[in-house]
Amino acid sequence: RELVSTNPTMRPILLKGHERSITCVKYNHDGDLLFTASKDSIPSVWRAHNGEWLGTFNGHKGTVWDLDCDRFTTRLLTASADATARLWDCETGVCLKEFTHRGPVRGIAFADGSHMFASISDPFVDYNAIISVYDIPPDMDPEDFSDTPRLEIDLPKSADGKQIKPTTVHWLNLNEALFVTFDNGTIRLYDPVTGEELEEIIAHEKKINRVRFNLEKTLFITSSADFTSKLYDVVDLKHLKTYKTDRPVNDAVISETKDHILLGGGQEAMSVTTTSGKVGKFETRFFHLIYEDEFGTVKGHFGPINALAISPNGRSYASGAEDGYVRLHFFDKSYLDMKDPVPEVGEGDDEFDDGDEEYNGSDSESD
């Protein structure tokens, strides 16, 4: 069941660049750079093929909860608990523009084309949570960017008087809608021009910690505190699969080259010191996308895994945890060449009589 065991070819690279818990790890679109954020307020960038540290983005005064890189790795957005979102030059690390919000900024995302971005901020004092959209055309001087958002969507209290908190924000294909998840387990779509709510679904019983899309944005996977992760179709928001665990799921990613799902999580951070790494179950778990079966784990962290990212070429993945380390794993040949067996079917059902020939076509392309 353990994918890493004693195989030296899959020994991870330990990235030691943060002093506090990791909050976010992301590859750029080309997969050659890895961006990481943590509670130490200083995002970092690394070479993805060898873990070489390239530099930091200095300026925030609080936890950096989220970050996003544009399509061509020229600009970086960061969302921080210091109530600001910042736009950076990826090459120089210079802050191009600071966008002040009313409360801690929880999530951030570039729109397709990178000419605008959306952010979500927590409720603060008398202010409700807010979804904001800012214009940042690539051909305009950053000093000329407006300090006020083009669109603000106010998120009032629920009927029972509870504050509603957004947890992640994304853009759907062609910027057709804003995709926002909440701490009550719901997902909402908003019109990015008018701010009108287009659709709402109840995806989980508890908080949705994170959502990840595949590269084509045809599928997305949720990670929830209710111990499950769910796969959905983007077009009609249809629930496709559920991956069940025995602990909160903090992040999950979809492999681009195999029908596999990677899940990360662990027990609550506040109780980590009372248990060992083995008992706390801080490993990355591998599930089959279609059959929902867990088939392997990769251990190593000494705290709950807060963030996962898989390379666009499917050959490596990174995990960041409460212990402050980012572990960069490179899959060995045995995993890349692995064929997923077709489960046996009952008597009288000959749908998969040809066995592996029916299924393994997609995996054979992973090399």
mmCIF file of all heavy atoms in Angstrom, residues 232-277:
data_model
loop_
_atom_site.group_PDB
_atom_site.id
_atom_site.type_symbol
_atom_site.label_atom_id
_atom_site.label_comp_id
_atom_site.label_asym_id
_atom_site.label_seq_id
_atom_site.Cartn_x
_atom_site.Cartn_y
_atom_site.Cartn_z
ATOM 1 N N TYR A 232 -16.705 16.690 -9.265
ATOM 2 C CA TYR A 232 -17.873 17.263 -9.930
ATOM 3 C C TYR A 232 -17.563 17.587 -11.385
ATOM 4 O O TYR A 232 -16.417 17.845 -11.744
ATOM 5 C CB TYR A 232 -18.318 18.556 -9.237
ATOM 6 C CG TYR A 232 -19.080 18.365 -7.947
ATOM 7 C CD1 TYR A 232 -18.407 18.181 -6.739
ATOM 8 C CD2 TYR A 232 -20.467 18.385 -7.931
ATOM 9 C CE1 TYR A 232 -19.102 18.024 -5.553
ATOM 10 C CE2 TYR A 232 -21.174 18.231 -6.743
ATOM 11 C CZ TYR A 232 -20.492 18.052 -5.563
ATOM 12 O OH TYR A 232 -21.193 17.892 -4.383
ATOM 13 N N ASP A 233 -18.628 17.592 -12.180
ATOM 14 C CA ASP A 233 -18.549 18.077 -13.550
ATOM 15 C C ASP A 233 -18.757 19.589 -13.528
ATOM 16 O O ASP A 233 -19.690 20.088 -12.898
ATOM 17 C CB ASP A 233 -19.638 17.404 -14.400
ATOM 18 C CG ASP A 233 -19.542 17.760 -15.872
ATOM 19 O OD1 ASP A 233 -19.522 18.959 -16.186
ATOM 20 O OD2 ASP A 233 -19.487 16.837 -16.701
ATOM 21 N N VAL A 234 -17.884 20.327 -14.208
ATOM 22 C CA VAL A 234 -17.964 21.786 -14.170
ATOM 23 C C VAL A 234 -19.210 22.306 -14.890
ATOM 24 O O VAL A 234 -19.849 23.265 -14.446
ATOM 25 C CB VAL A 234 -16.697 22.411 -14.793
ATOM 26 C CG1 VAL A 234 -16.857 23.911 -14.963
ATOM 27 C CG2 VAL A 234 -15.478 22.102 -13.933
ATOM 28 N N VAL A 235 -19.575 21.681 -16.007
ATOM 29 C CA VAL A 235 -20.638 22.222 -16.857
ATOM 30 C C VAL A 235 -21.986 22.262 -16.144
ATOM 31 O O VAL A 235 -22.662 23.299 -16.106
ATOM 32 C CB VAL A 235 -20.750 21.404 -18.165
ATOM 33 C CG1 VAL A 235 -21.928 21.904 -19.000
ATOM 34 C CG2 VAL A 235 -19.465 21.496 -18.961
ATOM 35 N N ASP A 236 -22.388 21.141 -15.548
ATOM 36 C CA ASP A 236 -23.713 21.090 -14.914
ATOM 37 C C ASP A 236 -23.642 20.912 -13.395
ATOM 38 O O ASP A 236 -24.667 20.685 -12.748
ATOM 39 C CB ASP A 236 -24.556 19.972 -15.530
ATOM 40 C CG ASP A 236 -23.859 18.615 -15.477
ATOM 41 O OD1 ASP A 236 -22.802 18.515 -14.815
ATOM 42 O OD2 ASP A 236 -24.370 17.669 -16.109
ATOM 43 N N LEU A 237 -22.431 21.011 -12.830
ATOM 44 C CA LEU A 237 -22.220 20.844 -11.388
ATOM 45 C C LEU A 237 -22.752 19.509 -10.880
ATOM 46 O O LEU A 237 -23.233 19.397 -9.753
ATOM 47 C CB LEU A 237 -22.855 22.004 -10.605
ATOM 48 C CG LEU A 237 -22.322 23.409 -10.912
ATOM 49 C CD1 LEU A 237 -22.995 24.432 -10.016
ATOM 50 C CD2 LEU A 237 -20.812 23.474 -10.752
ATOM 51 N N LYS A 238 -22.673 18.500 -11.720
ATOM 52 C CA LYS A 238 -23.142 17.166 -11.342
ATOM 53 C C LYS A 238 -22.103 16.456 -10.488
ATOM 54 O O LYS A 238 -20.927 16.435 -10.817
ATOM 55 C CB LYS A 238 -23.436 16.349 -12.605
ATOM 56 C CG LYS A 238 -23.949 14.946 -12.331
ATOM 57 C CD LYS A 238 -24.164 14.179 -13.626
ATOM 58 C CE LYS A 238 -24.623 12.749 -13.372
ATOM 59 N NZ LYS A 238 -24.768 11.979 -14.633
ATOM 60 N N HIS A 239 -22.570 15.863 -9.387
ATOM 61 C CA HIS A 239 -21.680 15.106 -8.507
ATOM 62 C C HIS A 239 -21.347 13.763 -9.151
ATOM 63 O O HIS A 239 -22.237 12.996 -9.502
ATOM 64 C CB HIS A 239 -22.355 14.893 -7.149
ATOM 65 C CG HIS A 239 -21.584 14.032 -6.221
ATOM 66 N ND1 HIS A 239 -22.175 13.105 -5.394
ATOM 67 C CD2 HIS A 239 -20.250 13.921 -5.991
ATOM 68 C CE1 HIS A 239 -21.259 12.474 -4.694
ATOM 69 N NE2 HIS A 239 -20.083 12.958 -5.039
ATOM 70 N N LEU A 240 -20.049 13.474 -9.307
ATOM 71 C CA LEU A 240 -19.629 12.253 -9.995
ATOM 72 C C LEU A 240 -19.108 11.175 -9.049
ATOM 73 O O LEU A 240 -19.519 10.032 -9.128
ATOM 74 C CB LEU A 240 -18.541 12.591 -11.026
ATOM 75 C CG LEU A 240 -18.914 13.629 -12.097
ATOM 76 C CD1 LEU A 240 -17.713 13.948 -12.963
ATOM 77 C CD2 LEU A 240 -20.077 13.119 -12.938
ATOM 78 N N LYS A 241 -18.179 11.538 -8.163
ATOM 79 C CA LYS A 241 -17.540 10.548 -7.289
ATOM 80 C C LYS A 241 -17.318 11.135 -5.903
ATOM 81 O O LYS A 241 -17.223 12.356 -5.724
ATOM 82 C CB LYS A 241 -16.174 10.114 -7.867
ATOM 83 C CG LYS A 241 -16.245 9.501 -9.263
ATOM 84 C CD LYS A 241 -16.890 8.120 -9.241
ATOM 85 C CE LYS A 241 -16.969 7.543 -10.654
ATOM 86 N NZ LYS A 241 -17.613 6.212 -10.660
ATOM 87 N N THR A 242 -17.195 10.249 -4.908
ATOM 88 C CA THR A 242 -16.878 10.643 -3.535
ATOM 89 C C THR A 242 -15.726 9.794 -3.016
ATOM 90 O O THR A 242 -15.735 8.571 -3.166
ATOM 91 C CB THR A 242 -18.092 10.464 -2.604
ATOM 92 O OG1 THR A 242 -19.169 11.264 -3.079
ATOM 93 C CG2 THR A 242 -17.742 10.882 -1.179
ATOM 94 N N TYR A 243 -14.739 10.457 -2.416
ATOM 95 C CA TYR A 243 -13.567 9.755 -1.860
ATOM 96 C C TYR A 243 -13.601 9.961 -0.350
ATOM 97 O O TYR A 243 -13.470 11.086 0.137
ATOM 98 C CB TYR A 243 -12.283 10.316 -2.478
ATOM 99 C CG TYR A 243 -12.371 10.375 -3.990
ATOM 100 C CD1 TYR A 243 -12.753 11.542 -4.639
ATOM 101 C CD2 TYR A 243 -12.128 9.243 -4.770
ATOM 102 C CE1 TYR A 243 -12.871 11.582 -6.019
ATOM 103 C CE2 TYR A 243 -12.250 9.273 -6.145
ATOM 104 C CZ TYR A 243 -12.630 10.451 -6.763
ATOM 105 O OH TYR A 243 -12.761 10.500 -8.137
ATOM 106 N N LYS A 244 -13.818 8.864 0.381
ATOM 107 C CA LYS A 244 -14.034 8.933 1.819
ATOM 108 C C LYS A 244 -12.750 8.629 2.580
ATOM 109 O O LYS A 244 -12.001 7.721 2.227
ATOM 110 C CB LYS A 244 -15.136 7.941 2.231
ATOM 111 C CG LYS A 244 -16.493 8.247 1.590
ATOM 112 C CD LYS A 244 -17.534 7.210 1.985
ATOM 113 C CE LYS A 244 -18.882 7.504 1.320
ATOM 114 N NZ LYS A 244 -19.890 6.482 1.659
ATOM 115 N N THR A 245 -12.527 9.411 3.661
ATOM 116 C CA THR A 245 -11.366 9.199 4.519
ATOM 117 C C THR A 245 -11.822 9.198 5.975
ATOM 118 O O THR A 245 -13.014 9.316 6.261
ATOM 119 C CB THR A 245 -10.323 10.313 4.315
ATOM 120 O OG1 THR A 245 -10.842 11.534 4.868
ATOM 121 C CG2 THR A 245 -10.006 10.531 2.843
ATOM 122 N N ASP A 246 -10.862 9.090 6.886
ATOM 123 C CA ASP A 246 -11.184 9.088 8.310
ATOM 124 C C ASP A 246 -10.596 10.316 9.010
ATOM 125 O O ASP A 246 -10.317 10.292 10.198
ATOM 126 C CB ASP A 246 -10.667 7.813 8.978
ATOM 127 C CG ASP A 246 -9.177 7.605 8.749
ATOM 128 O OD1 ASP A 246 -8.565 8.425 8.022
ATOM 129 O OD2 ASP A 246 -8.632 6.624 9.284
ATOM 130 N N ARG A 247 -10.397 11.384 8.243
ATOM 131 C CA ARG A 247 -9.835 12.619 8.793
ATOM 132 C C ARG A 247 -10.237 13.788 7.900
ATOM 133 O O ARG A 247 -10.629 13.583 6.750
ATOM 134 C CB ARG A 247 -8.317 12.509 8.862
ATOM 135 C CG ARG A 247 -7.659 12.529 7.483
ATOM 136 C CD ARG A 247 -6.387 11.751 7.443
ATOM 137 N NE ARG A 247 -6.641 10.316 7.449
ATOM 138 C CZ ARG A 247 -5.719 9.412 7.176
ATOM 139 N NH1 ARG A 247 -4.501 9.776 6.892
ATOM 140 N NH2 ARG A 247 -6.011 8.126 7.206
ATOM 141 N N PRO A 248 -10.121 15.021 8.397
ATOM 142 C CA PRO A 248 -10.448 16.175 7.541
ATOM 143 C C PRO A 248 -9.544 16.216 6.314
ATOM 144 O O PRO A 248 -8.345 15.925 6.400
ATOM 145 C CB PRO A 248 -10.183 17.378 8.460
ATOM 146 C CG PRO A 248 -10.275 16.843 9.838
ATOM 147 C CD PRO A 248 -9.785 15.438 9.771
ATOM 148 N N VAL A 249 -10.110 16.566 5.172
ATOM 149 C CA VAL A 249 -9.338 16.681 3.934
ATOM 150 C C VAL A 249 -9.076 18.163 3.680
ATOM 151 O O VAL A 249 -10.006 18.953 3.556
ATOM 152 C CB VAL A 249 -10.099 16.065 2.737
ATOM 153 C CG1 VAL A 249 -9.244 16.134 1.477
ATOM 154 C CG2 VAL A 249 -10.479 14.616 3.034
ATOM 155 N N ASN A 250 -7.795 18.534 3.610
ATOM 156 C CA ASN A 250 -7.430 19.937 3.433
ATOM 157 C C ASN A 250 -7.179 20.307 1.973
ATOM 158 O O ASN A 250 -7.329 21.474 1.600
ATOM 159 C CB ASN A 250 -6.191 20.272 4.260
ATOM 160 C CG ASN A 250 -6.451 20.174 5.748
ATOM 161 O OD1 ASN A 250 -7.574 20.354 6.199
ATOM 162 N ND2 ASN A 250 -5.415 19.862 6.513
ATOM 163 N N ASP A 251 -6.775 19.345 1.163
ATOM 164 C CA ASP A 251 -6.534 19.623 -0.250
ATOM 165 C C ASP A 251 -6.567 18.322 -1.032
ATOM 166 O O ASP A 251 -6.297 17.239 -0.489
ATOM 167 C CB ASP A 251 -5.175 20.309 -0.444
ATOM 168 C CG ASP A 251 -5.121 21.166 -1.705
ATOM 169 O OD1 ASP A 251 -6.074 21.102 -2.515
ATOM 170 O OD2 ASP A 251 -4.127 21.890 -1.892
ATOM 171 N N ALA A 252 -6.919 18.430 -2.305
ATOM 172 C CA ALA A 252 -6.950 17.277 -3.201
ATOM 173 C C ALA A 252 -6.663 17.762 -4.614
ATOM 174 O O ALA A 252 -7.061 18.864 -4.982
ATOM 175 C CB ALA A 252 -8.316 16.580 -3.149
ATOM 176 N N VAL A 253 -5.957 16.954 -5.381
ATOM 177 C CA VAL A 253 -5.622 17.340 -6.761
ATOM 178 C C VAL A 253 -5.909 16.178 -7.706
ATOM 179 O O VAL A 253 -5.907 15.001 -7.309
ATOM 180 C CB VAL A 253 -4.138 17.760 -6.893
ATOM 181 C CG1 VAL A 253 -3.895 19.073 -6.190
ATOM 182 C CG2 VAL A 253 -3.205 16.684 -6.358
ATOM 183 N N ILE A 254 -6.145 16.532 -8.967
ATOM 184 C CA ILE A 254 -6.439 15.559 -10.013
ATOM 185 C C ILE A 254 -5.203 15.386 -10.884
ATOM 186 O O ILE A 254 -4.659 16.369 -11.391
ATOM 187 C CB ILE A 254 -7.620 16.030 -10.886
ATOM 188 C CG1 ILE A 254 -8.852 16.317 -10.027
ATOM 189 C CG2 ILE A 254 -7.948 15.004 -11.963
ATOM 190 C CD1 ILE A 254 -9.970 17.034 -10.785
ATOM 191 N N SER A 255 -4.747 14.157 -11.070
ATOM 192 C CA SER A 255 -3.608 13.908 -11.949
ATOM 193 C C SER A 255 -4.008 14.174 -13.391
ATOM 194 O O SER A 255 -5.114 13.826 -13.824
ATOM 195 C CB SER A 255 -3.124 12.459 -11.792
ATOM 196 O OG SER A 255 -2.128 12.163 -12.760
ATOM 197 N N GLU A 256 -3.092 14.787 -14.154
ATOM 198 C CA GLU A 256 -3.377 15.108 -15.556
ATOM 199 C C GLU A 256 -3.086 13.938 -16.489
ATOM 200 O O GLU A 256 -3.535 13.938 -17.631
ATOM 201 C CB GLU A 256 -2.547 16.321 -15.991
ATOM 202 C CG GLU A 256 -2.892 17.609 -15.275
ATOM 203 C CD GLU A 256 -4.313 18.071 -15.554
ATOM 204 O OE1 GLU A 256 -4.859 17.724 -16.618
ATOM 205 O OE2 GLU A 256 -4.878 18.774 -14.696
ATOM 206 N N THR A 257 -2.325 12.961 -16.024
ATOM 207 C CA THR A 257 -1.894 11.878 -16.906
ATOM 208 C C THR A 257 -2.435 10.512 -16.514
ATOM 209 O O THR A 257 -2.359 9.571 -17.293
ATOM 210 C CB THR A 257 -0.352 11.802 -16.945
ATOM 211 O OG1 THR A 257 0.133 11.688 -15.600
ATOM 212 C CG2 THR A 257 0.226 13.057 -17.576
ATOM 213 N N LYS A 258 -2.954 10.386 -15.295
ATOM 214 C CA LYS A 258 -3.523 9.123 -14.842
ATOM 215 C C LYS A 258 -4.894 9.378 -14.215
ATOM 216 O O LYS A 258 -5.203 10.499 -13.821
ATOM 217 C CB LYS A 258 -2.597 8.443 -13.821
ATOM 218 C CG LYS A 258 -1.326 7.836 -14.412
ATOM 219 C CD LYS A 258 -0.515 7.179 -13.313
ATOM 220 C CE LYS A 258 0.698 6.442 -13.881
ATOM 221 N NZ LYS A 258 0.312 5.231 -14.601
ATOM 222 N N ASP A 259 -5.684 8.344 -14.117
ATOM 223 C CA ASP A 259 -6.983 8.467 -13.456
ATOM 224 C C ASP A 259 -6.803 8.313 -11.950
ATOM 225 O O ASP A 259 -7.345 7.398 -11.325
ATOM 226 C CB ASP A 259 -7.954 7.418 -13.998
ATOM 227 C CG ASP A 259 -8.391 7.730 -15.418
ATOM 228 O OD1 ASP A 259 -8.488 8.922 -15.748
ATOM 229 O OD2 ASP A 259 -8.611 6.788 -16.199
ATOM 230 N N HIS A 260 -6.035 9.233 -11.372
ATOM 231 C CA HIS A 260 -5.713 9.181 -9.951
ATOM 232 C C HIS A 260 -6.043 10.508 -9.276
ATOM 233 O O HIS A 260 -5.986 11.572 -9.898
ATOM 234 C CB HIS A 260 -4.231 8.866 -9.737
ATOM 235 C CG HIS A 260 -3.822 7.498 -10.177
ATOM 236 N ND1 HIS A 260 -2.502 7.109 -10.281
ATOM 237 C CD2 HIS A 260 -4.558 6.423 -10.543
ATOM 238 C CE1 HIS A 260 -2.445 5.848 -10.711
ATOM 239 N NE2 HIS A 260 -3.682 5.426 -10.863
ATOM 240 N N ILE A 261 -6.370 10.416 -7.981
ATOM 241 C CA ILE A 261 -6.629 11.566 -7.127
ATOM 242 C C ILE A 261 -5.656 11.522 -5.957
ATOM 243 O O ILE A 261 -5.437 10.460 -5.369
ATOM 244 C CB ILE A 261 -8.080 11.532 -6.587
ATOM 245 C CG1 ILE A 261 -9.088 11.567 -7.731
ATOM 246 C CG2 ILE A 261 -8.312 12.677 -5.607
ATOM 247 C CD1 ILE A 261 -9.149 12.861 -8.482
ATOM 248 N N LEU A 262 -5.065 12.660 -5.601
ATOM 249 C CA LEU A 262 -4.191 12.758 -4.435
ATOM 250 C C LEU A 262 -4.905 13.573 -3.368
ATOM 251 O O LEU A 262 -5.387 14.668 -3.653
ATOM 252 C CB LEU A 262 -2.863 13.428 -4.786
ATOM 253 C CG LEU A 262 -1.777 12.584 -5.461
ATOM 254 C CD1 LEU A 262 -2.226 12.094 -6.829
ATOM 255 C CD2 LEU A 262 -0.486 13.385 -5.595
ATOM 256 N N LEU A 263 -4.967 13.031 -2.138
ATOM 257 C CA LEU A 263 -5.630 13.710 -1.023
ATOM 258 C C LEU A 263 -4.638 13.985 0.091
ATOM 259 O O LEU A 263 -3.782 13.152 0.394
ATOM 260 C CB LEU A 263 -6.767 12.841 -0.463
ATOM 261 C CG LEU A 263 -8.192 13.079 -0.973
ATOM 262 C CD1 LEU A 263 -8.271 12.789 -2.460
ATOM 263 C CD2 LEU A 263 -9.182 12.200 -0.215
ATOM 264 N N GLY A 264 -4.752 15.160 0.700
ATOM 265 C CA GLY A 264 -3.917 15.490 1.849
ATOM 266 C C GLY A 264 -4.762 16.060 2.971
ATOM 267 O O GLY A 264 -5.765 16.731 2.737
ATOM 268 N N GLY A 265 -4.361 15.796 4.203
ATOM 269 C CA GLY A 265 -5.118 16.300 5.348
ATOM 270 C C GLY A 265 -4.494 15.819 6.636
ATOM 271 O O GLY A 265 -3.272 15.740 6.778
ATOM 272 N N GLY A 266 -5.334 15.476 7.591
ATOM 273 C CA GLY A 266 -4.857 15.021 8.894
ATOM 274 C C GLY A 266 -5.750 15.555 9.983
ATOM 275 O O GLY A 266 -6.701 16.312 9.734
ATOM 276 N N GLN A 267 -5.446 15.182 11.215
ATOM 277 C CA GLN A 267 -6.240 15.645 12.341
ATOM 278 C C GLN A 267 -6.100 17.155 12.495
ATOM 279 O O GLN A 267 -5.265 17.793 11.869
ATOM 280 C CB GLN A 267 -5.776 14.949 13.613
ATOM 281 C CG GLN A 267 -4.355 15.339 14.011
ATOM 282 C CD GLN A 267 -3.836 14.580 15.196
ATOM 283 O OE1 GLN A 267 -3.191 13.565 15.073
ATOM 284 N NE2 GLN A 267 -4.125 15.090 16.374
ATOM 285 N N GLU A 268 -6.918 17.738 13.357
ATOM 286 C CA GLU A 268 -6.868 19.185 13.571
ATOM 287 C C GLU A 268 -5.488 19.601 14.077
ATOM 288 O O GLU A 268 -4.862 18.921 14.890
ATOM 289 C CB GLU A 268 -7.923 19.601 14.603
ATOM 290 C CG GLU A 268 -9.358 19.422 14.129
ATOM 291 C CD GLU A 268 -9.723 20.384 13.010
ATOM 292 O OE1 GLU A 268 -9.068 21.444 12.887
ATOM 293 O OE2 GLU A 268 -10.657 20.078 12.258
ATOM 294 N N ALA A 269 -5.005 20.757 13.588
ATOM 295 C CA ALA A 269 -3.662 21.213 13.929
ATOM 296 C C ALA A 269 -3.484 21.413 15.435
ATOM 297 O O ALA A 269 -2.406 21.205 15.980
ATOM 298 C CB ALA A 269 -3.347 22.506 13.192
ATOM 299 N N MET A 270 -4.550 21.817 16.135
ATOM 300 C CA MET A 270 -4.437 22.117 17.562
ATOM 301 C C MET A 270 -4.104 20.878 18.399
ATOM 302 O O MET A 270 -3.599 20.997 19.517
ATOM 303 C CB MET A 270 -5.732 22.760 18.065
ATOM 304 C CG MET A 270 -6.942 21.847 18.037
ATOM 305 S SD MET A 270 -8.442 22.668 18.589
ATOM 306 C CE MET A 270 -8.767 23.760 17.220
ATOM 307 N N SER A 271 -4.384 19.681 17.878
ATOM 308 C CA SER A 271 -4.124 18.473 18.657
ATOM 309 C C SER A 271 -2.933 17.682 18.121
ATOM 310 O O SER A 271 -2.718 16.557 18.531
ATOM 311 C CB SER A 271 -5.376 17.583 18.665
ATOM 312 O OG SER A 271 -5.786 17.288 17.342
ATOM 313 N N VAL A 272 -2.157 18.298 17.239
ATOM 314 C CA VAL A 272 -1.031 17.582 16.642
ATOM 315 C C VAL A 272 0.021 17.213 17.671
ATOM 316 O O VAL A 272 0.613 16.146 17.628
ATOM 317 C CB VAL A 272 -0.390 18.443 15.520
ATOM 318 C CG1 VAL A 272 0.972 17.896 15.126
ATOM 319 C CG2 VAL A 272 -1.299 18.476 14.317
ATOM 320 N N THR A 273 0.286 18.100 18.634
ATOM 321 C CA THR A 273 1.370 17.868 19.588
ATOM 322 C C THR A 273 1.091 16.699 20.518
ATOM 323 O O THR A 273 1.997 16.229 21.199
ATOM 324 C CB THR A 273 1.604 19.121 20.440
ATOM 325 O OG1 THR A 273 0.366 19.517 21.053
ATOM 326 C CG2 THR A 273 2.113 20.262 19.573
ATOM 327 N N THR A 274 -0.131 16.212 20.563
ATOM 328 C CA THR A 274 -0.466 15.130 21.480
ATOM 329 C C THR A 274 -0.315 13.754 20.854
ATOM 330 O O THR A 274 -0.476 12.748 21.527
ATOM 331 C CB THR A 274 -1.915 15.281 21.979
ATOM 332 O OG1 THR A 274 -2.813 15.198 20.857
ATOM 333 C CG2 THR A 274 -2.107 16.627 22.649
ATOM 334 N N THR A 275 -0.002 13.711 19.551
ATOM 335 C CA THR A 275 0.107 12.428 18.881
ATOM 336 C C THR A 275 1.355 12.376 18.027
ATOM 337 O O THR A 275 1.920 13.391 17.653
ATOM 338 C CB THR A 275 -1.110 12.160 17.973
ATOM 339 O OG1 THR A 275 -1.223 13.232 17.038
ATOM 340 C CG2 THR A 275 -2.384 12.046 18.763
ATOM 341 N N SER A 276 1.781 11.175 17.706
ATOM 342 C CA SER A 276 2.951 11.001 16.839
ATOM 343 C C SER A 276 2.535 11.140 15.383
ATOM 344 O O SER A 276 1.353 11.137 15.044
ATOM 345 C CB SER A 276 3.560 9.611 17.057
ATOM 346 O OG SER A 276 2.670 8.609 16.592
ATOM 347 N N GLY A 277 3.539 11.255 14.510
ATOM 348 C CA GLY A 277 3.255 11.372 13.080
ATOM 349 C C GLY A 277 2.504 10.178 12.543
ATOM 350 O O GLY A 277 1.666 10.297 11.657
#
